[in-house]
């Protein structure tokens, strides 16, 4: 078993490798392998794995890629992630990718799929239209058809016919992956000092660019390490981060929040890896139906899913309660429609419920966080110094 | 001082139709009429009428507020209540208007919704908008219709089937429940026949810009022409009558060799023919238009007039396939088309209407339109070697309309067009 520090260093390198070297190496060793990039928030990676493809998360260039061409594609009042994604593609960081998948999140990511088509980038470009109808016999069937299209694209490259056994096996691997990630969050809920949130972030993000089997091995070792009583507790409040599900904050900002006095006990940074709550049935004749039903019935709340029958403010309040958090930090990417349009819904509800929160905006390429750090520090102090009991949500 | 706008019979007809609708809305509750809030792109007008409901279009209220110079105050009201500066200003204007008593453009109160019918097309913000409204109107029933995006520039049978299933199994039963009226397919078909008729007329109207000079402006006047077909009158005799009258007035203009009517009278000389991408700015609509007509520029086609339905490629509502037809209509609105489709459609307009140039009005708070526009513009420039122009404004936030910036940019653009025209003349 590797040392925890060694694992973290490995994951740090993988998570922000904008050349996606592990995918390149994987393809070299698997001549029939197909590399498929997917954008945030969520994509059922199980189906790509079953089809002999390597799903690779593309979460933008962050603060590590200078944008030159991307600014010629996107106006200043559009969020940052599409310009860094197109920059990565045009600068050939992803030239070993065969296809690209754009899940339905917002108008910007949807139209980015059209720009990829227009620029003829990759062998296929798929806009994945997730159902907004939540009846298995209507929305679920449509979603299965969408997944089938992805499988057809991959088959047109590698000729592989996917069987139910292939899919069930892949589902099992991703069930295990989610379970291990959940375990990390469970440990952190009680002992957040054992593994910093920036380390958690690196570990989970690394899993989006390597085969799931390898990631599961890393996670198993991390889980073993953090069961030990390591690290020193500090006097910090516990918070949940919400709103950063697509464009990712720079790692310095993720770290700054904890440094400023807040243990992050839950977040939506890499929401896709934790989107499905619980296991997907991996012993079924119809695995696509099982994946579709899991999305319809077992998804985490998300700003891209129509929610009026299952209000997101109640779901986030439940997370706050379950994690024993003292408050919520709403971190929205600048110009992020889904996140910013949700802000009044959350904030009005939390005012009524008595849940404490602060809100700020960030951009993936900004690495000066002094003001945000002060704001977070003040939030932490206001709770630590002047309040005794955490709020109980009814 | 601005001159008084000329009014033709069709304009008066439209005014009467709109006023009539708002009058009906004002007394809807006393009259026992159910009120359905919905959106223009993908609006299911025929279905709403089949259930005798009255439609309210929040984005129309927003743009009307902007034209009446009220949107700025409404937006600030919403921003005080945690709405971001950087999101759709239609949403904030609507929320602000609601917070200020929901007084509509005719000065009458707009009733609360019985139904929020979200047949959103090509815009995720609509989804968030109704999530917001649902929290303000907890008693309203929300009916959701997911319209698949034309990601591969096509409407497949499975996309249509998905929508038809939603209409049959979710939308219609819930509308029956709210209205207390049983679904009558024959009634729907009758509306659809009239829709087709109106669609035929509006296509002929927008096609008249092939004439030189163009008898109409297909953007600034076009936004008025699309009014009846988009705001609940599609599927009625009234809409057909309006479009017949409008067409006849335009024919008279063609016979007399006349150009478009502007707020300051007839445009005397057509110097430039343009195609415009993107919605107009509503807060300074007349000033914005004036920059164009003062320079002799007429818009011969625009993408914005296709936002409530693309009819110029031949698609029509079809009474023989009522639900399939409604589904296809929703999927066939402009912003539900992918970027290459939008490029093809605009290129076709430039060629068909013999345009001299292509202008993008990029809207700060409308990503559905704006994301991808720069790439579209470059592709059109490369493909057709047509001069392209780019300006930025907003829908209904007066803070983002900078008259002098826009005027400067457009003047430079028109100089470029003039130079190019004189070079072409010399070559001939």
């Amino acid at each position: 078993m590797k040392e925890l520090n060694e694992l973290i260093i490995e994951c740090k390198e993988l998570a922000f490798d904008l050349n996606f070297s592990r995918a390149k190496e994987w393809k070299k060793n698997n001549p029939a392998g197909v590399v498929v990039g997917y954008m945030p928030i969520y994509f059922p990676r199980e189906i790509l794995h079953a089809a002999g493809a390597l799903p690779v998360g593309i979460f933008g260039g962050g603060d590590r890629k200078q944008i030159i061409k991307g600014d010629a594609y996107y106006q200043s009042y559009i969020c940052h992630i599409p310009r860094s994604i197109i920059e990565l593609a045009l600068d050939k960081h992803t030239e070993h990718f065969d296809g690209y998948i754009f899940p339905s999140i917002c108008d910007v990511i949807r139209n980015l799929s059209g720009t990829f088509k227009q620029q003829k980038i990759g062998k296929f470009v798929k806009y994945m239209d997730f159902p907004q109808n939540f009846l298995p016999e209507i929305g679920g069937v449509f979603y299965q058809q969408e997944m089938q299209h992805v499988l057809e694209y991959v088959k047109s490259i590698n000729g592989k016919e996917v069987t139910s056994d292939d899919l069930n096996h892949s589902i099992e691997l991703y069930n295990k992956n989610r379970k291990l990630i959940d375990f990390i969050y469970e440990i952190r809920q009680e002992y957040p000092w054992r593994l910093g949130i920036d380390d958690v972030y690196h570990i989970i993000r690394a899993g989006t660019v390597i085969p799931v089997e390898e990631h599961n091995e890393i996670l198993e070792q991390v889980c073993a390490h953090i069961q030990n009583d390591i690290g020193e507790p500090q006097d910090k409040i516990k918070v949940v981060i919400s709103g950063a599900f697509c464009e990712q904050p720079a790692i310095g900002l993720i770290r700054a929040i904890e440094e400023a006095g807040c243990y992050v006990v839950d977040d939506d940074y890499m929401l896709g890896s934790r989107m499905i709550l619980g296991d997907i049935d991996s012993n079924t004749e119809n695995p696509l139906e099982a994946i579709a039903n899991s999305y319809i019935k077992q998804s985490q709340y998300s700003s891209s899913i129509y929610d009026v029958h299952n209000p997101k403010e109640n779901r986030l309040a439940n997370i706050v309660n379950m994690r024993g958090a003292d408050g919520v930090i709403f971190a929205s990417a600048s110009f992020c429609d889904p996140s910013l349009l949700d802000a009044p819904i959350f904030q009005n509800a939390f005012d009524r419920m008595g849940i404490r929160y602060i809100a700020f905006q960030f951009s993936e390429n900004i690495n000066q966080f002094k003001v945000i750090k002060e704001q977070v520090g003040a939030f932490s102090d206001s709770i630590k110094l002047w309040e005794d009991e955490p709020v109980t949500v009814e | 001082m601005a001159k008084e706008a000329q009014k033709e019979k069709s304009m008066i007809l439209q005014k009467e139709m709109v006023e009539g609708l708002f009058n009906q809305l004002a007394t809807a509750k006393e009259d026992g009429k159910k009120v359905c809030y919905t959106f223009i792109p993908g609006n299911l007008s025929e279905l709403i009428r089949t259930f005798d409901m009255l439609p309210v279009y929040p984005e129309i209220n927003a743009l009307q507020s902007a034209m009446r110079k009220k949107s700025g105050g409404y937006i600030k009201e919403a921003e005080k209540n945690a709405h971001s500066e950087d999101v759709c200003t239609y949403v904030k204007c609507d929320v602000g208007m609601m917070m200020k008593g929901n007084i509509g453009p005719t000065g009458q109160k707009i009733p609360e919704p019985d139904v929020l019918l979200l047949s959103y097309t090509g815009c995720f913000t609509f989804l968030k908008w109704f999530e917001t409204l649902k929290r303000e109107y907890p008693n309203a029933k929300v009916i959701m219709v997911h319209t698949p995006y034309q990601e591969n520039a096509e409407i497949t049978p499975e996309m249509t089937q998905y929508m038809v299933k939603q209409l049959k199994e979710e939308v219609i039963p819930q509308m029956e429940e709210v209205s207390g009226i049983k679904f009558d397919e024959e009634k729907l078909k009758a509306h659809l026949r009239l829709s087709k008729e109106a669609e035929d007329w509006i296509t002929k109207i927008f096609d008249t810009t092939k004439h030189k000079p163009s008898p109409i402006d297909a953007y600034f006047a076009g936004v008025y022409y699309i009014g009846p077909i988009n705001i609940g009158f599609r599927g009625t005799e009234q809409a057909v009558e309006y479009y017949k009258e409008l067409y006849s007035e335009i024919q008279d203009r063609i016979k007399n060799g006349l150009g478009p009517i502007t707020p300051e009278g007839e445009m005397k000389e057509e110097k430039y023919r343009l195609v415009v991408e993107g919605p107009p700015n509503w807060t300074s609509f007349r000033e914005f238009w004036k920059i164009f007509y003062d320079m002799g520029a007429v818009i011969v086609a625009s993408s914005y007039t296709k936002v409530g339905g693309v009819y110029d490629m031949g698609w029509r509502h079809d009474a023989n396939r009522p639900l399939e037809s409604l589904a296809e209509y929703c999927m066939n609105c402009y912003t539900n088309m992918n970027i290459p489709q939008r490029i093809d459609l605009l290129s076709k307009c430039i060629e068909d209407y013999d345009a001299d140039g292509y202008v993008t009005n990029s809207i700060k708070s409308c990503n559905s339109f704006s994301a991808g526009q720069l790439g579209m513009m470059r592709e059109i420039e490369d493909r057709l070697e047509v001069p392209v122009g780019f300006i930025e404004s907003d829908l209904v936030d007066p803070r983002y309309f900078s008259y002098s910036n826009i005027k400067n940019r457009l003047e430079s653009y028109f100089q470029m067009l003039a130079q190019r025209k004189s070079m072409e003349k010399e070559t001939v």
Side-chain angles (χ1 to χ4, degrees):
Chain A
M1 189 162 85
K2 290 179 182 171
E3 291 297 317
L4 181 58
N5 208 29
E6 203 181 333
L7 292 164
I8 291 169
I9 290 169
E10 199 179 310
C11 288
K12 270 185 186 172
E13 280 170 18
L14 287 165
F16 286 99
D17 173 13
L18 296 185
N19 290 313
F20 304 98
S21 314
R22 181 64 190 94
K24 204 176 275 177
E25 189 192 328
W26 179 86
K27 200 168 180 180
K28 205 171 140 195
N29 298 331
N30 296 274
V34 176
V35 174
V36 180
Y38 67 93
M39 316 298 148
I41 303 174
Y42 165 72
F43 179 76
R45 292 176 288 171
E46 291 86 342
I47 65 166
L48 288 173
H49 182 271
L54 177 67
V56 180
I58 304 176
F59 297 96
D63 59 348
R64 297 157 198 237
K65 176 76 185 161
Q66 193 188 354
I67 305 303
I68 297 163
K69 302 180 186 85
D71 284 339
Y73 282 83
Y74 289 95
Q75 298 90 317
S76 56
Y77 41 78
I78 290 175
C79 57
H80 203 267
I81 192 171
R83 67 194 80 222
S84 74
I85 290 176
I86 194 90
E87 188 92 18
L88 288 172
L90 295 176
D91 277 356
K92 305 199 181 302
H93 289 255
T94 59
E95 64 181 342
H96 49 298
F97 286 37
D98 296 282
Y100 297 88
I101 292 169
F102 296 80
S104 52
I105 310 171
C106 68
D107 297 322
V108 172
I109 293 291
R110 184 198 62 203
N111 288 5
L112 181 63
S113 74
T115 301
F116 267 59
K117 276 182 196 280
Q118 183 198 343
Q119 296 290 324
K120 299 187 173 45
I121 300 170
K123 294 182 185 126
F124 72 86
V125 173
K126 167 73 184 157
Y127 172 72
M128 185 81 184
D129 215 345
F130 281 88
Q132 297 287 0
N133 174 287
F134 303 103
L135 293 176
E137 65 277 18
I138 301 179
V141 169
F142 176 73
Y143 183 25
Q144 287 180 57
Q145 289 162 347
E146 286 289 282
M147 287 190 277
Q148 201 63 54
H149 294 160
V150 174
L151 292 177
E152 281 158 20
Y153 279 127
V154 177
K155 189 183 164 194
S156 72
I157 299 169
N158 68 2
K160 182 170 162 55
E161 195 74 58
V162 179
T163 66
S164 293
D165 285 346
D166 294 330
L167 282 161
N168 280 328
H169 171 63
S170 302
I171 290 171
E172 260 175 37
L173 288 170
Y174 280 95
N175 280 344
K176 184 175 177 183
N177 190 265
R178 280 185 290 270
K179 216 175 264 172
L180 290 165
I181 292 173
D182 282 350
F183 183 77
I184 293 176
Y185 275 85
E186 278 163 29
I187 291 282
R188 286 198 87 253
Q189 181 184 331
E190 290 301 317
Y191 314 103
W193 52 87
R194 289 189 185 173
L195 192 65
I197 189 64
D198 51 333
D199 295 331
V200 174
Y201 182 83
H202 283 126
I203 290 164
I204 297 176
R205 183 157 169 172
T208 64
V209 295
I210 61 176
V212 63
E213 296 86 344
E214 289 174 23
H215 193 229
N216 284 349
E217 275 178 34
I218 293 173
L219 289 171
E220 276 174 329
Q221 295 177 62
V222 170
C223 288
H225 282 294
I226 62 173
Q227 287 182 67
N228 299 322
D229 188 13
I230 52 174
E232 288 296 323
Q234 293 180 340
D235 183 21
K236 293 180 183 181
I237 63 162
K238 289 182 180 175
V239 297
V240 173
I241 303 279
S242 177
F245 42 79
C246 177
E247 184 172 322
Q248 300 291 291
I251 196 72
L253 176 55
I254 291 173
R255 192 181 300 125
I257 292 172
E258 282 207 337
E259 284 171 357
C262 296
Y263 281 130
V264 177
V265 289
D266 214 322
D267 62 77
D268 59 4
Y269 293 138
M270 300 297 298
L271 182 57
S273 300
R274 307 172 60 212
M275 188 74 171
I276 303 300
L277 305 172
D279 282 352
I280 303 175
D281 185 358
S282 61
N283 185 19
T284 165
E285 296 282 299
N286 192 348
L288 289 186
E289 185 181 58
I291 294 172
N293 287 346
S294 72
Y295 179 77
I296 285 173
K297 296 174 183 169
Q298 295 165 232
S299 284
Q300 182 54 281
Y301 81 88
S302 156
S303 292
S304 65
I305 299 176
Y306 192 54
D307 82 325
V308 290
H309 304 298
N310 194 1
K312 63 187 80 148
E313 58 273 37
N314 296 348
R315 299 189 67 185
L316 180 54
N318 284 338
I319 293 174
V320 172
N321 219 11
M322 186 186 79
R323 295 289 185 204
D326 300 287
V328 175
I329 296 180
F330 292 106
S332 304
S334 297
F335 303 106
C336 172
D337 279 343
S339 184
L340 293 171
L341 284 160
D342 271 348
I345 292 175
F346 279 124
Q347 295 180 19
N348 289 335
F350 283 13
D351 285 340
R352 283 194 305 274
M353 295 177 193
I355 299 177
R356 292 154 297 203
Y357 62 84
I358 53 166
F360 62 76
Q361 289 182 38
F362 67 87
S363 180
E364 62 171 359
N365 64 328
I366 300 295
N367 48 23
Q368 296 293 325
F369 328 111
K370 197 169 172 288
V371 176
I372 293 175
K373 210 170 168 179
E374 280 170 9
Q375 190 186 357
V376 173
F379 182 57
S380 166
D381 287 347
S382 70
I383 292 172
K384 269 190 310 198
L385 301 177
W386 293 294
E387 292 183 27
D388 299 327
E389 296 295 321
V391 168
T392 310
V393 182
E394 285 174 16
Chain B
M1 203 172 112
K3 291 175 197 169
E4 198 171 321
Q6 287 186 10
K7 291 244 187 296
E8 292 201 319
K9 191 181 165 196
S10 61
M11 294 180 188
I12 295 162
L13 267 179
Q14 181 172 163
K15 193 166 181 273
E16 286 169 2
M17 289 160 80
V18 175
E19 275 176 3
L21 174 61
F22 279 99
N23 287 339
Q24 281 184 293
L25 283 168
T27 58
K29 298 291 168 187
E30 296 98 272
D31 300 341
K33 288 266 187 188
K34 299 295 178 189
V35 176
C36 174
Y37 284 24
T38 194
F39 293 112
I40 298 293
N43 73 79
L44 297 170
S45 288
E46 298 83 357
L47 200 60
I48 294 169
R49 286 200 169 265
T50 300
F51 288 101
D52 286 344
M53 292 186 184
L54 292 172
V56 170
Y57 299 91
E59 74 268 51
I60 296 295
N61 294 338
L63 72 89
Q64 298 250 17
S65 298
M67 293 178 102
R68 290 180 299 128
K69 310 285 182 201
K70 286 180 178 290
S71 58
Y74 291 153
I75 288 168
K76 278 184 195 155
E77 198 61 34
E79 286 177 359
K80 273 192 250 167
N81 194 32
H83 287 262
S84 162
E85 266 186 44
D86 296 324
V87 298
C88 174
T89 50
Y90 274 167
V91 178
K92 287 187 287 184
C93 183
D94 182 46
V95 168
M97 183 173 117
M98 190 181 62
M99 292 164 82
K100 288 281 190 186
N102 225 16
I103 305 300
T106 54
Q108 294 154 301
K109 188 171 163 59
I110 294 175
E112 292 197 0
D114 298 290
V115 175
L116 296 165
L117 175 60
L118 178 54
S119 55
Y120 81 104
T121 295
C123 171
F124 274 90
T125 294
F126 286 144
L127 187 148
K128 311 306 294 175
W129 194 339
F130 270 20
E131 283 181 351
T132 301
L133 290 190
K134 172 63 185 169
R135 278 139 178 108
E136 300 297 332
Y137 300 116
N139 297 326
K141 186 173 236 354
V142 179
I143 307 177
M144 164 71 154
V145 195
H146 175 204
T147 303
Y149 185 61
Q150 287 200 48
E151 63 129 356
N152 268 337
E154 60 177 352
I155 296 171
T156 64
E158 58 192 39
M159 286 157 74
T160 306
Q161 209 182 6
Y162 173 46
M163 286 205 72
V164 168
K165 268 200 229 169
Q166 293 180 74
L167 292 169
K168 260 190 196 162
E169 292 171 35
E170 297 233 75
V171 179
I172 290 174
Q174 291 185 81
M175 288 183 89
E176 284 181 327
E177 192 189 317
V178 175
S179 66
I181 293 170
K182 186 107 190 81
F183 174 58
D184 178 349
E185 192 174 88
E186 288 311 311
K187 193 173 171 188
L188 174 63
K189 285 180 174 177
H191 287 307
L192 292 173
R193 276 188 282 273
L194 289 166
S195 292
K196 183 196 172 295
E197 223 179 308
E199 287 155 4
D200 285 341
W201 283 109
I202 202 165
T203 307
K204 283 165 85 169
I205 286 164
F206 280 122
D207 223 27
T208 60
T209 59
K210 279 182 180 158
H211 289 272
K212 289 185 182 176
S214 169
I216 59 167
D217 187 291
Y219 185 51
F220 293 106
V223 300
Y224 291 98
Y225 302 156
I226 58 172
I229 206 162
N230 281 349
I231 61 161
F233 294 98
R234 200 182 60 228
T236 67
E237 294 280 2
Q238 275 174 298
V240 175
E241 284 314 305
Y242 166 79
Y243 286 114
K244 272 186 188 168
E245 174 57 34
L246 178 61
Y247 185 69
S248 135
E249 287 166 7
I250 295 169
Q251 287 306 307
D252 285 345
R253 304 189 68 72
I254 293 171
K255 263 184 231 152
N256 296 318
L258 299 175
I261 299 174
T262 74
E264 293 183 55
E266 229 154 62
M267 200 169 122
K268 298 296 174 212
E269 188 190 1
E270 176 185 289
K271 286 188 190 160
Y272 311 112
R273 297 165 64 82
L274 303 175
V275 169
V276 172
E277 150 73 9
N281 163 271
W282 300 107
T283 53
S284 302
F285 186 80
R286 278 178 72 159
E287 294 92 318
F288 189 34
W289 188 356
K290 187 171 161 55
I291 300 173
F292 285 84
Y293 65 71
D294 277 353
M295 298 302 298
V298 61
I299 316 305
V300 290
S302 67
S303 57
Y304 184 69
T305 51
K306 304 175 200 308
V307 79
V310 177
Y311 305 115
D312 44 353
M313 308 297 277
W315 186 88
R316 296 289 181 273
H317 277 97
D318 180 358
N320 295 319
R321 305 164 53 248
L323 298 186
E324 288 80 359
S325 179
L326 290 176
E328 286 168 1
Y329 160 74
C330 290
M331 290 185 277
N332 202 35
C333 291
Y334 178 73
T335 47
N336 204 51
M337 295 176 154
N338 77 5
I339 296 286
Q341 255 178 313
R342 283 167 62 175
I343 293 170
D344 289 344
L345 181 61
L346 289 163
S347 298
K348 187 176 181 308
C349 288
I350 292 167
E351 289 179 324
D352 288 357
Y353 301 112
D354 197 18
D356 304 305
Y358 170 79
V359 171
T360 300
N361 180 34
S362 184
I363 294 293
K364 177 186 178 281
S365 69
C366 181
N367 288 335
S368 175
F369 263 101
S370 301
Q373 276 177 332
L374 292 171
M376 288 169 62
M377 190 172 72
R378 271 196 303 279
E379 169 91 26
I380 287 171
E381 187 178 26
D382 290 347
R383 195 187 284 187
L384 303 175
E385 294 183 346
V386 65
V388 297
F390 186 82
I391 49 175
E392 294 173 317
S393 65
D394 190 51
L395 295 166
V396 294
D397 192 336
R399 295 170 296 188
Y400 298 108
F401 184 82
S402 169
Y403 178 79
S404 41
N405 276 350
I406 290 173
K407 191 162 191 287
N408 280 346
R409 278 207 186 189
L410 283 173
E411 278 176 354
S412 307
Y413 179 66
F414 289 130
Q415 278 169 17
M416 181 171 75
L417 283 181
Q419 211 168 19
R420 191 174 167 122
K421 281 209 159 198
S422 73
M423 280 163 66
E424 277 169 4
K425 241 184 217 169
E426 279 169 25
T427 314
V428 172

